[in-house]
Amino acid sequence: MMNYFPDEVLEHVFDFVTSHRDRNAVSLVCKLWYRVERYSRQRVFIGNCYAISPERLIARFPGVKSLTLKGKPHFADFNLVPQDWGGYVQPWIEALARSRIGLEELRLKRMVVSDESLDVLSRSFTNFKSLVLVSCEGFTTDGLAAIAANCRFLRELDLQENEIEEKKNHWLGCFPDSCTSLVSLNFACLKEINLAALERLVARNPNLKSLKLNRAVPLEALQRILMRAPQLVDLGTGSFVLDRDSDDSETYRKLRTTILKCRSIRNLSGFLEVAPHCLPAIYPICVNLTYLNLSYAAGIHGSELIKLIRLCGKLQRLWILDCIGDKGLEIVASTCKDLQELRVFPSDPFGAGHDAVTETGLVAISSGCPKLNSLLYFCQQMTNAALIAVAKNCPNFIRFRLCILDPTKPDPVTMQPLDEGFGAIVQSSKRLRRLSLSGLLTDRVFLYIGMYAEQLEMLSIAFAGESDKGMLYVLNGCKKLRKLEIRDSPFGDMALLRDVGKYETMRSLWMSSCDVTLGGCKTLAKKMPRLNVEIINENDQMEFAPEDSQKVEKMYLYRTLVGPRKDAPEFVWTLV
Amino acid sequence: MERSVSYGGNDLNLEATELRLGLPGSDEHEKQSSPSARTSNKRASPEVAEESSSLSNSNVSDARNGDQDSAPPAKAQVVGWPPIRSYRRNSFQQKKTEADGAGMYVKVSMDGAPYLRKVDLKVYKSYPELLKALENMFKLTIGEYSEREGYNGSDFAPTYEDKDGDWMLVGDVPWDMFISTCKRLRIMKGSEARGLGSL
């Protein structure tokens, strides 16, 4: 019946279909729908930049306005992927620039971005509006200067946790006076900033809703900036200390008055350094906060931290350091009844953990916050009993990531592995999509995961399992698995090769310090031409005609439509 | 200032030159089994640990050996564990080195001594630790602090110059406040010392 509608009608209907997956599904219905969908598609998400080429993207979606690209594998975040592995955005930007694509938005994660790329980007797309870079590297503030100077309608510049080389330029001053369209600006990951340019920029951008400052912005400047931008919804304070020469009480008084006017702030972060006696200035806005990120605020602890938390009754997302302790988490549990997401980061990752949290804190949270659906928890220890209690209290987990600082630690009470605890979690949270395991774990936990984690899409395994059976349970049972990353676990060729077709249903598989051999990887590569099976060979272990029986230190495989990549460095071998 | 773990605080490290019949290195076992000899106050810097990138499973503390309830032994650090982003990891290390490099070294003068010494205040967690170190450094006895009488009974009084340029008796203010205001130390001797102590 839909065939009798003109294309415009179909297009209009498809406008209401926004999620990538739904649009992908729409495009598979029939050739007509495929055609209409592809011309009307504006937002494209590419989870692995090596799965497809820019040319094919442009050919299929000529109307694309917003592109998201991800580069390096997730474990690159933890230094497991060497420098120069790849993930370059340059070819994408060049190809898009050559075409007549009207790119407006670019979001990159774990990619290598050069100043040249940023320069070309800034000059090639007149309507460019939004640049979001997460965990990227390879560029300097010269690249940022190009963006500032050339993107006349820039609305968003969001730099999250990037490694940026800072030159002596004043890139912020490159925003022309005519730039008044900014809505979101985040430069928290930089060390320096030109304060005068910043204040002028804020003053002429009245639509600014999200502003995240860096540690070079002291309280005096923050106060002046907030005076100009009381409409902010999202604030990252940078430092929260006074300049040495300023008058404490006067600044504090002014800050307090100014903050009272900022009634729209719902998200608060920063506090990279803190003058504790100035904290009360922010108390008035705490009651409205829905997101609080104190995970870099090592200077707020003890009673100061508790006082702050007690005021935040509407919090939905809380990111905190483990120096809050179990007792502090109990306060969170009794205060933040709407809490959905909690992340507890280690404040002293290599230390003896005197201030860390344990299973007690987590159980308290689960008890007080039944809406909890997303957890990242770094802790000293965990027990099965606690996990079982958490599973019972919170059956709505979508993301559950537990990281015990000693990765093979058993339940300290029973000395048992944590299989039963995690088993309870996957059984109770039927909508679980992401899971990270740690602690002492046998094959049994994987049996449970394979049996119960029907919606699981991403699984991270470290120092776990006893045999190939563990990996097989997961590959067989988790039908929706997209990303599997495994390190230091005894899984080998038998598990790897049992169901080779499985990997084409997934985005990628990472295995490092496991038992897979070169021969096993070669076999897989031969059987599956639409997978790139890459071996990372750092230590020249495999320099001299390696034996097939030799274990592979790092393997990364992913499905792709464009064959082996041409930019692989010499230490990455793509097996064919 | 070296961060090495000290075995018994003996600066001369006599064990190294001691003649014995055992194989070289056969003493290691003995030292590792007593947790007190390996306090975790000073641990290998993360940079050192990163070098051992080929650590395998076996180096991670094997829980089956049974956890010790006493101070945990310094663990071998594993690359990429705990799994926190490099950016966050770097910001911790930066904070640590910032704190370390922030001029916590202060000059220590002792009346009558021909030259000054320097101590890193960050290394100590409390007054007794600092005073003990000063006693060792200058081979003298300062004794115990009392709020009423200072270091009465001793020929020496530890004093410090604070941010305002005043000379204060060491021990009056909380430790954290002390290390953030102390600019230099001076160990006063003799009658001058006794004068301060009996104020």
Side-chain angles (χ1 to χ4, degrees):
Chain A
M1 229 259 277
M2 290 288 268
N3 288 357
Y4 296 108
F5 289 141
D7 289 0
E8 297 78 45
V9 174
L10 272 181
E11 211 179 287
H12 183 64
V13 172
F14 292 169
D15 273 350
F16 295 98
V17 180
T18 46
S19 93
H20 295 294
R21 291 187 198 186
D22 289 345
R23 290 208 67 125
N24 292 348
V26 157
S27 70
L28 292 174
V29 168
C30 63
K31 284 191 180 155
L32 172 64
W33 282 34
Y34 177 89
R35 183 166 53 78
V36 174
E37 197 283 319
R38 70 179 261 253
Y39 282 113
S40 62
R41 178 100 80 149
Q42 295 191 340
R43 315 182 68 85
V44 175
F45 170 87
I46 295 177
N48 175 6
C49 64
Y50 291 119
I52 193 70
S53 71
E55 289 74 24
R56 286 183 64 161
L57 164 74
I58 293 165
R60 179 168 171 191
F61 299 117
V64 65
K65 290 193 162 46
S66 164
L67 177 62
T68 302
L69 280 173
K70 294 189 180 181
K72 301 183 206 173
H74 176 233
F75 275 177
D77 279 350
F78 317 131
N79 294 339
L80 289 177
V81 174
Q83 280 294 97
D84 304 325
W85 174 87
Y88 306 103
V89 78
Q90 181 75 0
W92 291 86
I93 293 183
E94 278 176 358
L96 290 162
R98 277 194 302 268
S99 72
R100 275 179 294 145
I101 298 275
L103 193 69
E104 293 184 10
E105 192 177 291
L106 186 62
R107 311 166 77 90
L108 304 177
K109 187 167 185 179
R110 278 190 290 271
M111 293 200 71
V112 178
V113 180
S114 64
D115 284 344
E116 199 203 324
S117 302
L118 291 176
D119 191 58
V120 173
L121 178 68
S122 73
R123 290 175 200 285
S124 310
F125 309 103
T126 43
N127 264 340
F128 193 75
K129 294 195 171 71
S130 167
L131 181 63
V132 180
L133 302 176
V134 181
S135 295
C136 295
E137 44 150 355
F139 60 105
T140 78
T141 46
D142 285 348
L144 297 180
I147 298 287
N150 303 328
C151 300
R152 286 191 297 150
F153 304 112
L154 196 69
R155 285 206 204 136
E156 177 174 32
L157 179 60
D158 186 356
L159 307 169
Q160 297 177 32
E161 302 193 337
N162 302 291
E163 305 281 347
I164 306 175
E165 186 193 326
E166 295 180 53
K167 303 269 184 84
K168 294 287 180 212
N169 68 345
H170 293 307
W171 68 274
L172 204 65
C174 294
F175 278 108
D177 288 342
S178 54
C179 168
T180 56
S181 50
L182 278 179
V183 173
S184 167
L185 178 63
N186 173 6
F187 58 88
C189 61
L190 292 176
K191 294 192 184 57
E192 305 295 338
I193 201 71
N194 180 329
L195 280 179
L198 174 63
E199 291 182 41
R200 286 195 304 269
L201 187 67
V202 172
R204 65 178 185 274
N205 280 280
N207 294 325
L208 206 54
K209 290 277 184 296
S210 172
L211 181 62
K212 293 183 186 158
L213 309 170
N214 69 356
R215 58 169 12 120
V217 182
L219 273 179
E220 296 82 357
L222 174 66
Q223 184 269 324
R224 289 192 297 270
I225 287 167
L226 289 178
M227 279 271 284
R228 306 284 202 176
Q231 75 282 3
L232 283 179
V233 173
D234 201 349
L235 173 65
T237 66
S239 283
F240 206 74
V241 290
L242 295 159
D243 232 349
R244 257 174 315 165
D245 304 320
S246 70
D247 176 2
D248 278 25
S249 50
E250 178 63 16
T251 309
Y252 176 77
R253 192 191 57 76
K254 279 204 272 196
L255 182 67
R256 185 133 190 160
T257 315
T258 306
I259 288 189
L260 278 170
K261 301 204 182 87
C262 300
R263 302 189 159 291
S264 306
I265 296 181
R266 298 286 173 271
N267 306 325
L268 187 61
S269 60
F271 303 98
L272 306 172
E273 282 175 73
V274 182
H277 54 280
C278 292
L279 271 180
I282 60 160
Y283 288 171
I285 54 172
C286 289
V287 66
N288 292 324
L289 291 180
T290 54
Y291 172 46
L292 179 60
N293 181 354
L294 296 178
S295 65
Y296 285 99
I300 306 182
H301 44 245
S303 58
E304 291 298 338
L305 179 55
I306 299 302
K307 263 192 266 184
L308 202 58
I309 299 277
R310 280 200 200 277
L311 295 168
C312 301
K314 293 207 192 128
L315 274 188
Q316 294 173 15
R317 297 166 61 207
L318 176 63
W319 293 24
I320 198 89
L321 288 171
D322 65 2
C323 52
I324 193 174
D326 288 333
K327 288 274 175 279
L329 288 177
E330 284 167 24
I331 309 279
V332 173
S334 62
T335 309
C336 310
K337 293 310 194 183
D338 287 335
L339 198 67
Q340 294 173 30
E341 175 178 325
L342 175 68
R343 297 196 191 192
V344 181
F345 293 93
S347 49
D348 188 10
F350 309 108
H354 299 296
D355 289 319
V357 295
T358 69
E359 74 276 13
T360 308
L362 186 59
V363 171
I365 291 282
S366 73
S367 189
C369 311
K371 294 187 194 171
L372 196 67
N373 61 38
S374 177
L375 180 74
L376 172 61
Y377 197 73
F378 285 83
C379 58
Q380 275 296 100
Q381 61 183 45
M382 186 51 57
T383 64
N384 283 310
L387 285 174
I388 291 167
V390 170
K392 189 151 160 285
N393 293 334
C394 297
N396 299 314
F397 280 114
I398 302 174
R399 278 172 234 107
F400 190 90
R401 294 192 279 166
L402 189 72
C403 177
I404 303 173
L405 292 169
D406 174 355
T408 54
K409 195 169 170 139
D411 178 330
V413 173
T414 62
M415 299 312 281
Q416 292 298 302
L418 292 177
D419 302 332
E420 300 305 313
F422 280 105
I425 296 285
V426 295
Q427 192 173 359
S428 123
S429 285
K430 305 205 183 327
R431 280 175 289 195
L432 192 69
R433 295 205 302 253
R434 182 168 180 185
L435 179 64
S436 297
L437 308 169
S438 64
L440 185 66
L441 295 163
T442 71
D443 286 344
R444 198 160 182 83
V445 71
F446 301 112
L447 172 69
Y448 292 141
I449 291 173
M451 269 171 72
Y452 296 112
E454 291 176 10
Q455 302 300 318
L456 196 67
E457 296 178 6
M458 181 169 177
L459 180 61
S460 307
I461 300 170
F463 305 100
E466 301 159 299
S467 75
D468 284 328
K469 284 204 289 207
M471 186 169 165
L472 284 173
Y473 290 139
V474 171
L475 291 175
N476 287 342
C478 299
K479 301 298 181 203
K480 302 223 174 148
L481 196 63
R482 293 190 299 119
K483 288 179 281 181
L484 180 58
E485 46 186 27
I486 308 172
R487 62 167 292 184
D488 294 276
S489 300
F491 306 137
D493 295 342
M494 202 271 279
L496 182 71
L497 296 173
R498 173 66 68 85
D499 178 8
V500 295
K502 174 78 176 173
Y503 306 120
E504 271 194 11
T505 70
M506 292 167 55
R507 184 188 299 175
S508 64
L509 168 67
W510 168 284
M511 292 180 77
S512 59
S513 305
C514 297
D515 292 345
V516 293
T517 67
L518 183 59
C521 295
K522 280 185 185 171
T523 306
L524 180 56
K526 217 186 196 69
K527 286 190 180 175
M528 303 294 293
R530 286 194 302 194
L531 295 180
N532 278 351
V533 180
E534 294 183 6
I535 307 293
I536 296 175
N537 172 29
E538 289 173 274
N539 302 324
D540 297 328
Q541 316 151 320
M542 298 195 158
E543 219 183 85
F544 308 107
E547 303 272 318
D548 278 2
S549 57
Q550 197 168 349
K551 285 192 195 170
V552 157
E553 190 50 41
K554 291 177 183 169
M555 178 202 73
Y556 179 58
L557 66 82
Y558 53 90
R559 68 181 175 191
T560 178
L561 293 175
V562 290
R565 57 185 173 112
K566 297 180 185 56
D567 63 3
E570 45 157 21
F571 56 80
V572 171
W573 300 352
T574 306
L575 303 178
V576 286
Chain B
M1 190 84 162
E2 276 160 28
R3 295 294 187 95
S4 56
V5 179
S6 73
Y7 299 97
N10 186 342
D11 289 346
L12 293 175
N13 198 8
L14 289 171
E15 282 113 341
T17 52
E18 198 178 350
L19 289 175
R20 20 171 117 183
L21 291 175
L23 288 169
S26 60
D27 212 28
E28 292 309 302
H29 208 62
E30 206 183 348
K31 281 179 186 154
Q32 272 172 17
S33 60
S34 62
S36 53
R38 290 249 245 149
T39 58
S40 53
N41 284 345
K42 303 176 180 41
R43 63 192 62 82
S45 66
E47 291 79 51
V48 170
E50 293 292 313
E51 284 166 37
S52 48
S53 59
S54 52
L55 278 176
S56 63
N57 230 346
S58 56
N59 280 354
V60 174
S61 71
D62 188 343
R64 289 186 216 268
N65 285 341
D67 273 343
Q68 296 158 318
D69 288 18
S70 45
K75 295 192 173 74
Q77 287 178 37
V78 181
V79 169
W81 196 270
I84 53 178
R85 275 195 190 160
S86 319
Y87 178 82
R88 188 177 284 279
R89 196 183 285 259
N90 293 341
S91 75
F92 282 130
Q93 285 167 10
Q94 205 172 56
K95 284 201 174 100
K96 283 197 157 158
T97 46
E98 262 171 24
D100 295 344
M104 276 296 142
Y105 277 93
V106 295
K107 290 184 190 169
V108 190
S109 62
M110 150 107 149
D111 293 354
Y115 51 81
L116 281 59
R117 303 297 304 273
K118 261 202 164 167
V119 290
D120 178 0
L121 292 180
K122 272 292 187 198
V123 159
Y124 310 103
K125 303 256 183 313
S126 66
Y127 283 119
E129 278 184 31
L130 171 64
L131 293 176
K132 193 142 195 69
L134 292 175
E135 285 179 334
N136 282 342
M137 190 180 263
F138 293 100
K139 305 284 178 284
L140 44 77
T141 309
I142 297 174
E144 279 198 23
Y145 168 80
S146 86
E147 206 181 302
R148 282 192 64 220
E149 307 196 331
Y151 297 90
N152 222 3
S154 168
D155 280 338
F156 301 97
T159 64
Y160 69 100
E161 186 183 3
D162 72 0
K163 271 201 288 217
D164 301 324
D166 297 321
W167 284 95
M168 318 286 293
L169 186 67
V170 167
D172 285 335
V173 301
W175 174 256
D176 284 331
M177 195 188 290
F178 165 70
I179 56 173
S180 64
T181 55
C182 172
K183 290 270 152 300
R184 54 188 298 168
L185 288 162
R186 177 186 161 200
I187 301 181
M188 288 187 185
K189 199 163 98 158
S191 55
E192 220 185 327
R194 283 189 280 275
L196 254 186
S198 57
L199 271 173

